[in-house]
Amino acid sequence: MNGKTFKTRRIQRQAASLSAAVLCCVAITGCGNGLAKVSGHVTVDDQPLHGGNGNVRVTVQFQPANGVGPTAMGLADENGMYSLSTGSQAGIQPGEYLVSCAAEELVINNAGAVTGAHRTTDPKYGSAKTSGLKFTIQAGKNEINIPLKSLPKTPQRSGV
């Protein structure tokens, strides 16, 4: 093998290695789905709304304000932290969203089966139409904290 052939093959191997490295990077990062990353904390009266642990489930939904497109959802963890997914993909399309958030405590019988649930947050937050929560999602990474207020206190009735 002469020096010129050796040099050509070395360049070809380097080019092949570089191509393989680029393909690996593309495979790892994906081709880009155009979805913005959205995460944040859910709080009630400035305290984290603890979901994911025990029997409490905290669901966050972002619905397009114009009514067109898929809804993104997320579950809050034991620290009140959530991140959104649209279907099986992490993220959400940029745009205006109406948001709902509901916390429910699961009712579990003696056998360990879930027999129902009762809401622990104000029912108005359970609907995007009544929650009063509206956010604009930008391309890239977004931190959207969701501040809720506790259930309104019902006055105690005195007498019989």
Side-chain angles (χ1 to χ4, degrees):
M1 202 185 293
N2 66 31
K4 190 173 186 180
T5 303
F6 179 75
K7 188 175 182 180
T8 301
R9 287 191 179 169
R10 185 173 55 115
I11 291 172
Q12 288 173 337
R13 280 193 300 264
Q14 288 175 338
S17 295
L18 181 60
S19 295
V22 168
L23 285 174
C24 284
C25 287
V26 168
I28 289 170
T29 61
C31 295
N33 58 12
L35 299 180
K37 304 296 181 203
V38 177
S39 62
H41 286 91
V42 181
T43 59
V44 174
D45 300 328
D46 299 322
Q47 298 299 312
L49 182 55
H50 302 290
N53 62 346
N55 301 330
V56 178
R57 299 290 177 261
V58 180
T59 306
V60 177
Q61 292 185 7
F62 277 55
Q63 299 174 347
N66 65 5
V68 179
T71 296
M73 295 181 67
L75 294 174
D77 66 13
E78 62 276 358
N79 299 312
M81 179 76 171
Y82 76 94
S83 60
L84 294 179
S85 294
T86 304
S88 63
Q89 296 184 325
I92 187 172
Q93 288 291 330
E96 291 278 326
Y97 287 88
L98 300 176
V99 176
S100 63
C101 182
E104 297 178 325
E105 185 170 1
L106 303 177
V107 177
I108 300 179
N109 67 16
N110 292 338
V114 175
T115 59
H118 64 275
R119 188 167 299 220
T120 60
T121 53
D122 190 327
K124 76 176 185 177
Y125 295 121
S127 169
K129 293 178 182 178
T130 60
S131 72
L133 301 169
K134 185 175 182 179
F135 298 102
T136 301
I137 304 304
Q138 305 292 329
K141 189 175 180 181
N142 297 260
E143 182 176 338
I144 306 291
N145 295 317
I146 302 174
L148 307 178
K149 298 291 179 195
S150 53
L151 280 165
K153 304 286 186 224
T154 54
Q156 295 290 329
R157 294 192 321 195
S158 59
V160 185

